Amino acid sequence: RRIIKAIVDAARGKHGFIGYWQASDAVEGADMVLEKAQVFIEQSDARKALPIYQCILEEMVPLLQQADDSNGEIGSIIEEALEGLSICARLVKGALRQEMLGYLFTEFEHKRYDEWSDWRWNFLEIAAQIVTTSDERDRLFKKLDQAVKKSEGNSDSWSNRYDIETILKIKLTVLERQEQDKEVEDFLNEHIFYPAMRQRAIEKAFERKDYILVKKLSQEGIALGKQQKLPGIVNSWNVWILRAAEAEHDIPEVKKYTIALFIDTGDFDYYKRYKKCFSSDEWKAEIEHVINLVRKSKEYSKDVVAQILIYEQRWDDLLALTKKDVSSYTLEHYERYLISRFPKELAGMYEKVIVEELAPEAGRSNYQRTCQFLRRMKKVGAQKRMKALIEELSMKYKSRPTFLEEIRRIN
């Protein structure tokens, strides 16, 4: 503790505050003792490691109120200490286990975590790993039930929902550890309207190959997600329906959900899985349908179409797509696929970008970028045109000495 405090104090500014640039210095002491704790962990000596992690939390959490931790140095140390506690939980036995459990319950209620609810929950999440007796379980659940009542009084509905879902996950951890199968099933059914509980119920159904239940729970989740306008949640349930369809070799369903997920997310893995559902001859016609679906979707991105064209090696179409909306961005992304096949066309696009997009912008960084594209013209064999363009630009922007300085560096 003396080491941590001394180094923190040395990093303080005139008014006791630790600035952005001093934050990394302030945690050096905590870093040093963390290394010592790691040695004890490697020796499976939780009794010696545990007090170190506790000390770091006691010193570092309050420090956040006295420092600019924009770079996350202090937060990172706290995360490491919490991870250390979790490791200790897997090592403790006997009296040390009971001692650690008491510490976790006490620390959960400490006011130093009033502004850091995620870290506060860590203590009961770790406690869930080590409760053994029915009395310990009751004690943990009582604290969780008290937290539910407190959370229900929170005016922030999202925060309230997050806290309740966290509480449910902690309880579920205990029930599953104690292998209370009937109790687990009843618990999940009782709280199925919470996504984390639905997720676990689906996982368990999938594990026992009850694909009908997987699809039923997923479809109910989709209906709820649409009602609540949560597209991300909807896609997570679509993934489970797809997994069930693949397990059952239900090709029509696999097609339906792979293409839907590809259109919604742009994840190319779904494209590949969709393509596997077709023969080579079928795919020749189907690919045009896919491209049209992408273009018509509200999530349309030219990059997704380009990715398809690259994967299918449709280079003429990729060239046409790039030409349609040529910019430095598109050239930097697709030139490596075009350079050996269409050097002349690429040189023309480089020139267009230089003249219309890059050269008119002032600033050394923009001038350097202009020169990069001029060099690319040379690389594709358009050296003569590059030299003529340099002369034109030098005349047009003769009042920009920095631009002329940069452009003269081109050989």
Side-chain angles (χ1 to χ4, degrees), residues 387-400:
K387 288 181 176 179
L389 185 56
I390 288 174
E391 288 183 17
E392 292 171 20
L393 294 173
S394 298
M395 286 296 295
K396 186 173 182 178
Y397 300 109
K398 59 186 177 182
S399 61
R400 296 180 180 178

Side-chain angles (χ1 to χ4, degrees), residues 28-84:
E28 285 182 0
D31 245 336
M32 289 166 59
V33 296
L34 267 176
E35 289 176 11
K36 186 63 177 175
Q38 182 59 35
V39 172
F40 292 138
I41 287 294
E42 289 169 1
Q43 296 168 353
S44 297
D45 192 344
R47 181 166 291 281
K48 290 181 179 177
L50 191 55
I52 295 176
Y53 295 127
Q54 292 170 347
C55 176
I56 289 170
L57 291 171
E58 289 164 11
E59 296 297 326
M60 291 290 110
V61 174
L63 189 62
L64 287 166
Q65 303 293 346
Q66 310 158 31
D68 178 351
D69 193 42
S70 301
N71 60 2
E73 295 281 354
I74 301 170
S76 178
I77 290 289
I78 293 168
E79 295 282 354
E80 287 185 57
L82 289 167
E83 176 60 26

Side-chain angles (χ1 to χ4, degrees), residues 93-108:
K93 296 176 182 176
L96 183 58
R97 184 191 66 80
Q98 293 177 325
E99 183 183 320
M100 183 176 181
L101 189 59
Y103 161 78
L104 293 168
F105 286 151
T106 302
E107 198 71 1
F108 169 74

Side-chain angles (χ1 to χ4, degrees), residues 218-236:
S218 298
Q219 286 161 350
E220 289 171 355
I222 289 169
L224 275 173
K226 287 179 178 177
Q227 183 182 329
Q228 297 167 347
K229 297 181 180 179
L230 298 171
I233 289 287
V234 169
N235 278 335
S236 70

Side-chain angles (χ1 to χ4, degrees), residues 121 142-154 160 163-164 167:
W121 288 120
K142 184 178 179 181
K143 285 194 177 293
L144 290 168
D145 290 339
Q146 289 170 345
V148 168
K149 291 178 182 177
K150 185 177 179 182
S151 184
E152 285 172 344
N154 189 339
N160 172 39
D163 287 346
I164 292 175
I167 290 164

Side-chain angles (χ1 to χ4, degrees), residues 180-316:
Q180 303 290 332
D181 291 345
K182 181 66 169 65
E183 204 170 347
V184 167
E185 184 179 348
D186 291 344
F187 184 83
L188 290 172
N189 288 335
E190 182 183 351
H191 301 100
I192 200 70
F193 289 101
Y194 289 91
M197 298 300 102
R198 184 177 299 276
Q199 171 79 12
R200 187 65 188 123
I202 291 171
E203 288 171 358
K204 292 176 78 67
F206 192 84
E207 286 165 9
R208 60 178 183 265
K209 300 183 179 180
D210 187 348
Y211 303 126
I212 292 174
L213 183 57
V214 168
K215 289 184 280 190
K216 177 179 179 292
L217 291 172
S218 298
Q219 286 161 350
E220 289 171 355
I222 289 169
L224 275 173
K226 287 179 178 177
Q227 183 182 329
Q228 297 167 347
K229 297 181 180 179
L230 298 171
I233 289 287
V234 169
N235 278 335
S236 70
W237 306 138
N238 279 332
V239 169
W240 278 108
I241 296 175
L242 172 59
R243 289 186 65 180
E246 289 178 327
E248 294 178 312
H249 305 289
D250 185 342
I251 300 303
E253 284 288 282
V254 172
K255 286 180 179 180
K256 176 182 175 180
Y257 285 96
T258 48
I259 191 61
L261 284 162
F262 175 60
I263 297 298
D264 283 347
T265 69
D267 185 337
F268 211 68
D269 179 61
Y270 295 119
Y271 175 87
K272 294 174 183 176
R273 286 154 77 175
Y274 182 67
K275 182 176 179 178
K276 286 180 181 178
C277 297
F278 297 86
S279 68
S280 298
D281 288 339
E282 289 171 334
W283 187 245
K284 289 175 184 176
E286 184 61 25
I287 188 174
E288 301 304 327
H289 173 62
V290 174
I291 291 172
N292 285 333
L293 283 176
V294 172
R295 284 182 167 143
K296 290 176 182 176
S297 78
K298 60 183 178 182
E299 305 296 333
Y300 171 63
S301 166
K302 186 176 70 174
D303 289 339
V304 175
V305 174
Q307 197 176 9
I308 293 172
L309 298 177
I310 291 165
Y311 185 76
E312 301 293 344
Q313 299 186 10
R314 290 174 52 163
W315 308 122
D316 288 333

Side-chain angles (χ1 to χ4, degrees), residues 1 54 57-62 64-65 103 106-107 109-116 119-120 123:
R1 192 181 298 272
Q54 292 170 347
L57 291 171
E58 289 164 11
E59 296 297 326
M60 291 290 110
V61 174
L64 287 166
Q65 303 293 346
Y103 161 78
T106 302
E107 198 71 1
E109 294 179 346
H110 202 288
K111 64 181 181 180
R112 72 170 64 96
Y113 301 99
D114 285 353
E115 301 297 322
W116 316 102
W119 288 334
R120 186 190 292 280
F123 296 106

